[in-house]
């Protein structure tokens, strides 16, 4: 049985895919390029190709790696394999939108918990994302800060070390994320309580996120950040 929400001092969040709509951002940018080239793309096919290209051995840190990814997937999508378009896809990150419920949900959750960002994105990208999210984080960890990416346990260990400096431990953390591969599976192995935000609950497949070797049943499961924030508010009515 899942623990009570008041048991946690910290809510740690995956950002890209959980709070920021990276799939929508990628599809919109590629569709724009396709329109200029006089063609069109299938968005889900584009995400499938992205997923295959993104998780290769020569991948760079995200989102800088989007330029390389574009050059890999452009021919299969019938798009011009030109550097200017590759850089456009990378730079489109600065205008990617948050999910409609993200900022409001985070503002609500910040009333009862300390919020910590844990993102595989580089710091320059998080700077843009934070503005769209209302700058709600007590602390933030990026690939630049940790030198690694989730699901590497070393990423999580640095967060554990941080909360320890505040007199807390991983038992005080509820980890919130949409990626089974990057977050839910590894958080379970590390002994964290976790919450799965199933952003693709109305769609088939894993979209732009790598498929896990096996599914991990989360401690909490919600279809959106709005539903999660509502559940926390209902459970902790006297703190609002």
């Amino acid at each position: 049985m899942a623990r009570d929400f008041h048991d946690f001092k910290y809510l740690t969040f995956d950002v890209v895919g959980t709070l920021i709509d990276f799939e929508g951002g990628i599809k919109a940018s590629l569709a724009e390029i396709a329109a200029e080239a006089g063609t069109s793309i299938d968005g889900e096919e584009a995400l499938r190709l992205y997923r295959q290209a993104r998780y290769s051995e020569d991948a760079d840190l995200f989102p800088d790696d989007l330029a390389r990814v574009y050059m890999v997937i452009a021919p299969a999508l019938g798009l011009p394999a030109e550097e200017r378009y590759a850089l456009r896809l990378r730079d489109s990150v600065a205008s990617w939108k948050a999910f409609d419920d993200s900022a409001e949900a985070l503002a609500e959750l910040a009333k009862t918990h300390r919020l910590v960002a844990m993102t595989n994105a580089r710091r320059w990208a998080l700077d843009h994302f934070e503005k769209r999210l209302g700058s709600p984080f007590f602390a933030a960890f990026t690939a630049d800060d940790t030198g690694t990416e989730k699901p590497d346990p070393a990423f999580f260990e640095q967060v554990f070390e941080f909360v320890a400096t505040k007199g807390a431990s991983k038992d005080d953390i509820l980890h919130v994320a949409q990626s089974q591969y990057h977050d839910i599976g590894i958080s379970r192995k590390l002994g964290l309580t976790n919450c799965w935000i199933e952003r693709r609950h109305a769609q088939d497949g894993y979209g732009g996120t790598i498929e896990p070797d096996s599914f991990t049943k989360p401690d909490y499961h919600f279809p959106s950040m709005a539903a999660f924030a509502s559940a926390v508010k209902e459970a902790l009515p006297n703190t609002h």
Side-chain angles (χ1 to χ4, degrees):
M1 181 178 294
R3 296 163 58 195
D4 294 333
F5 290 122
H6 62 67
D7 291 339
F8 307 104
K9 298 177 181 177
Y10 292 86
L11 302 179
T12 52
F13 289 90
D14 168 61
V15 176
V16 179
T18 303
L19 306 175
I20 298 294
D21 184 8
F22 88 100
E23 292 187 351
I26 288 174
K27 289 191 290 186
S29 182
L30 292 175
E32 181 182 89
I33 294 170
E36 290 184 17
T39 186
S40 61
I41 62 165
D42 179 292
E44 287 300 304
E45 174 64 8
L47 290 179
R48 185 187 70 81
L49 292 169
Y50 161 81
R51 184 176 69 242
Q52 291 179 341
R54 175 72 181 102
Y55 300 106
S56 65
E57 293 183 356
D58 60 342
D60 194 3
L61 290 178
F62 183 86
D64 300 48
D65 192 50
L66 286 172
R68 180 195 64 82
V69 166
Y70 177 84
M71 298 300 285
V72 173
I73 69 176
L77 291 171
L79 301 179
E82 300 177 19
E83 183 181 12
R84 60 184 176 127
Y85 292 124
L87 297 179
R88 184 192 296 186
L89 178 61
R90 180 199 66 191
D91 295 343
S92 72
V93 168
S95 60
W96 285 1
K97 298 178 180 179
F99 288 102
D100 291 342
D101 62 350
S102 292
E104 183 176 353
L106 290 170
E108 185 67 29
L109 293 165
K111 296 176 182 179
T112 54
H113 297 82
R114 287 179 169 180
L115 312 186
V116 177
M118 293 177 58
T119 179
N120 284 352
R122 301 194 66 181
R123 176 63 64 169
W124 72 263
L126 181 62
D127 287 344
H128 290 288
F129 298 154
E130 281 196 289
K131 292 176 183 177
R132 284 167 177 72
L133 296 169
S135 301
F137 299 116
F138 175 75
F141 293 81
T142 71
D144 287 327
D145 302 314
T146 64
T148 188
E149 296 181 338
K150 299 173 296 176
D152 186 344
F155 195 117
F156 289 82
E157 291 294 342
Q158 292 196 37
V159 177
F160 298 161
E161 291 174 6
F162 169 75
V163 299
T165 66
K166 307 299 180 182
S169 73
K170 67 181 180 182
D171 290 337
D172 297 305
I173 297 172
L174 173 60
H175 187 57
V176 185
Q178 68 85 28
S179 176
Q180 281 275 327
Y181 174 79
H182 297 96
D183 293 272
I184 302 302
I186 184 62
S187 62
R188 170 60 49 72
K189 291 179 181 178
L190 295 175
L192 279 173
T193 304
N194 56 37
C195 175
W196 185 34
I197 306 298
E198 190 183 0
R199 285 297 189 182
R200 289 180 60 90
H201 63 275
Q203 299 169 276
D204 293 330
Y206 285 86
T209 304
I210 192 169
E211 186 173 350
D213 291 333
S214 61
F215 178 83
T216 299
K217 184 178 180 180
D219 296 293
Y220 297 97
H221 180 190
F222 297 97
S224 66
M225 281 292 297
F228 171 48
S230 179
V232 173
K233 184 176 182 179
E234 183 178 349
L236 305 174
N238 297 326
T239 57
H240 289 72

